[in-house]
Amino acid sequence: GAVVSQHPSWVICKSGTSVKIECRSLDFQATTMFWYRQFPKQSLMLMATSNEGSKATYEQGVEKDKFLINHASLTLSTLTVTSAHPEDSSFYICSANRPQGVGEQFFGPGTRLTVL
Amino acid sequence: GQNIDQPTEMTATEGAIVQINCTYQTSGFNGLFWYQQHAGEAPTFLSYNVLDGLEEKGRFSSFLSRSKGYSYLLLKELQMKDSASYLCAVSSGGGADGLTFGKGTHLIIQP
């Protein structure tokens, strides 16, 4: 199957700092990547759709100025959580569609963010 | 709006069969996915249904009825490693759209 990586796998930061999470498609080009957030014992919630070479599309209720997304190339999307606060602590997961697939999304291993 | 319902938790016995149901009401429909997620890990793809009927893949099968907004995931010959959360997700648009997930069903396998 297609491989999607994320870095870092976990991060602990102080309140008010910014954290950048990278998502890479390792063996295919992804014009579209997706960012999800998952709180404990809850399901994945789509935050935004990252489009290569254009602005991301954010879901309702997600602050675009707080969660900055950059899709610099066909294999890399980054999510920056700016001025992080404890309520931003969550499991952040990216995914990408393989162009030749049936539409299933391949997920990265996730990044656990803890804001102190 | 989007609404996907599935049971919160189910328990089954090793070697047995279990069926996890999912009902959905979405503004569009371009396929239904089942994912398996172990605690602290990312979801892994299990199945995809876009037409009515049963799709079989080894010990796992998935069924879809679009007219009823209903799907189920059937797991046979249960193994202890099948203990995980099973997520039902719907694609409302094309490949450029994100998925809407249900809250997941936590499956516990007992010896």
Side-chain angles (χ1 to χ4, degrees), chain A residues 23-41:
Chain A
C23 176
R24 294 181 185 273
S25 56
L26 299 184
D27 55 355
F28 65 100
Q29 294 183 331
T31 55
T32 304
M33 291 183 173
F34 306 92
W35 287 96
Y36 294 84
R37 179 168 54 181
Q38 185 177 34
F39 292 106
K41 297 188 177 182

Side-chain angles (χ1 to χ4, degrees), chain B residues 10 21 38 61 63 69 78 84 110:
Chain B
M10 298 182 70
N21 296 323
H38 286 98
S61 303
F63 172 83
L78 287 171
Q110 296 177 334

Side-chain angles (χ1 to χ4, degrees), chain B residues 18-33:
Chain B
V18 70
Q19 177 175 310
I20 303 174
N21 296 323
C22 171
T23 58
Y24 64 90
Q25 300 98 36
T26 56
S27 55
F29 183 81
N30 194 45
L32 186 142
F33 299 84

Side-chain angles (χ1 to χ4, degrees), chain A residues 32 34 36 38 41-44 46 49 91 93 97 102-110 112, chain B residues 33 35 37 40-45 48 87-88 94-104:
Chain A
T32 304
F34 306 92
Y36 294 84
Q38 185 177 34
K41 297 188 177 182
Q42 295 189 22
S43 193
L44 283 74
L46 179 65
T49 301
F91 192 46
I93 310 175
N97 290 337
V102 298
E104 76 268 27
Q105 294 185 14
F106 294 91
F107 287 85
R112 185 160 302 283
Chain B
F33 299 84
Y35 284 86
Q37 186 179 28
E41 299 180 9
T44 55
F45 171 78
Y48 169 72
L87 309 177
C88 175
D97 288 357
L99 299 178
T100 301
F101 281 85
K103 293 187 176 181

Side-chain angles (χ1 to χ4, degrees), chain B residues 5-10 19-22 86 103-106:
Chain B
D5 289 317
Q6 51 182 129
T8 303
E9 186 173 288
M10 298 182 70
Q19 177 175 310
I20 303 174
N21 296 323
C22 171
Y86 291 85
K103 293 187 176 181
T105 298
H106 184 209

